[in-house]
Amino acid sequence: MRHAPAGDSLTNVVSFIGPYNGTPNLNRETGTETNPANTSGPNARRRRNRSSRRAEPGTSSGARYDTLKPRTCFHALTGDSPKYSRVAHGRGRAAEAGHSPDGRKPDAPDIEPPEVTVPRPSTPLLSMRRIRECALDIIDEAGLEALSMRKLAERLGVRAASLYNYVPNKDELLQDIANSVMDEVDVSGFDTDWVTGLTVWARSYRAALAEHPNLVPLLASGPARREAALRRADAVHGGLVNAGWPQRYATMIGASVKYLVIGGAMGSFAGGFPADAELYEERFPNLERAHLLPRHAAEIDSASFELALQAFVEGLRSRHAELTGGAGDS
């Protein structure tokens, strides 16, 4: 068994145990191998290339090899910490070059990287109002059955799951839409008198439904738990009772106006006749001009509603006078 040469010299230690990691022995002056046995064999070229790269003076590879060899050999023999390490050696070389340990010049200012912020949209992608308006557009275009949460999400450009942060399901959304439509109905006329209140309410009710005829089947079912619809029903009933109408009559008057409005909003009477004159000439002589009705459908439908409302109110005036013994118009 060979013994390490005496002395603390790292050079003696290195020359005794050979270079780092089992590579061929090198002449530190010439950079050539001193073990000719390693110059042949299948791995000889790779060893020669590796040795020449590590031994080239003035290169970073050679410098790193020279740095690691004493540290590794000393640690292997003694078990103590090396006198210097790659990190410490790097710091020393940086200091010699006038740089700080992290590689920057001492006078180089600290430059903070710019903060990258993603600008928020000027308006939120979703809101309950936008969801409601978009859903109502779908209903107006294709009817109640065409509305689905998936189709609504596609129209809004979001995922369907995002909608459930605002509304729990389609039924609740429909109730909210119906409530928003009923919120447009005017019942302020009852502050003047019951006749004004009734006519203003009926006309604004019809106008609101005329804007969204596909929503009429839902509204025809009653106010349900919709806040706006219940507030208007309360105002109408209270206005009639305060004007002297009995509770029973007030209820029937409110229902009668609803039938008048809903019936007119369900469809056009004049627009339902075919514009084919030959259809009526021989078989339906009394309808010989019915083919002209579709051209004037909006005008006829509006005038017909006003005629029915006027006749209804005039009849109520007489009945109110009988019940209250008054003039019948307040």
Side-chain angles (χ1 to χ4, degrees), residues 13-216:
V13 174
V14 173
S15 62
F16 171 72
I17 67 171
Y20 169 68
N21 203 22
T23 57
N25 294 331
L26 300 178
N27 187 314
R28 295 180 62 82
E29 299 296 333
T30 64
T32 60
E33 297 185 18
T34 61
N35 185 2
N38 291 329
T39 59
S40 62
N43 296 324
R45 180 179 298 177
R46 183 169 57 187
R47 289 196 298 271
R48 286 197 298 271
N49 292 339
R50 183 170 56 190
S51 300
S52 63
R53 285 198 306 269
R54 291 180 174 177
E56 289 178 2
T59 64
S60 59
S61 297
R64 183 168 60 250
Y65 174 75
D66 291 343
T67 301
L68 286 174
K69 187 166 61 175
R71 176 176 68 91
T72 306
C73 297
F74 184 89
H75 183 64
L77 287 176
T78 65
D80 297 332
S81 300
K83 294 183 178 180
Y84 58 97
S85 63
R86 181 184 297 176
V87 176
H89 185 59
R91 289 177 177 174
R93 297 181 64 181
E96 293 175 2
H99 294 72
S100 60
D102 58 1
R104 296 180 300 170
K105 292 183 177 181
D107 57 348
D110 291 335
I111 301 176
E112 294 292 336
E115 294 185 1
V116 179
T117 57
V118 179
R120 292 185 177 183
S122 56
T123 56
L125 292 177
L126 283 181
S127 66
M128 194 59 220
R129 179 177 179 178
R130 185 162 180 257
I131 292 172
R132 184 167 51 241
E133 291 175 351
C134 189
L136 190 54
D137 288 342
I138 295 175
I139 294 172
D140 289 342
E141 294 169 7
L144 286 168
E145 297 301 324
L147 178 65
S148 68
M149 300 301 276
R150 184 174 67 178
K151 182 177 291 187
L152 178 59
E154 291 175 357
R155 181 75 67 92
L156 290 166
V158 300
R159 295 180 180 273
S162 301
L163 299 177
Y164 295 105
N165 293 325
Y166 296 85
V167 61
N169 50 57
K170 175 183 173 179
D171 291 339
E172 289 293 329
L173 176 58
L174 288 174
Q175 294 300 324
D176 188 76
I177 293 171
N179 196 65
S180 67
V181 171
M182 289 301 300
D183 207 26
E184 301 297 323
V185 177
D186 186 4
V187 292
S188 62
F190 286 98
D191 294 337
T192 303
D193 57 65
W194 71 268
V195 174
T196 303
L198 210 60
T199 53
V200 169
W201 170 48
R203 288 168 181 163
S204 65
Y205 196 178
R206 178 179 180 269
L209 297 189
E211 290 291 325
H212 311 286
N214 289 337
L215 199 62
V216 172

Side-chain angles (χ1 to χ4, degrees), residues 265-286:
M266 288 293 290
S268 171
F269 171 80
F273 289 86
D276 182 3
E278 296 181 358
L279 176 64
Y280 309 101
E281 286 180 357
E282 297 181 0
R283 299 180 57 192
F284 311 103
N286 295 320

Side-chain angles (χ1 to χ4, degrees), residues 318-330:
S318 299
R319 181 61 60 89
H320 184 266
E322 295 174 2
L323 293 172
T324 61
D329 45 345
S330 62

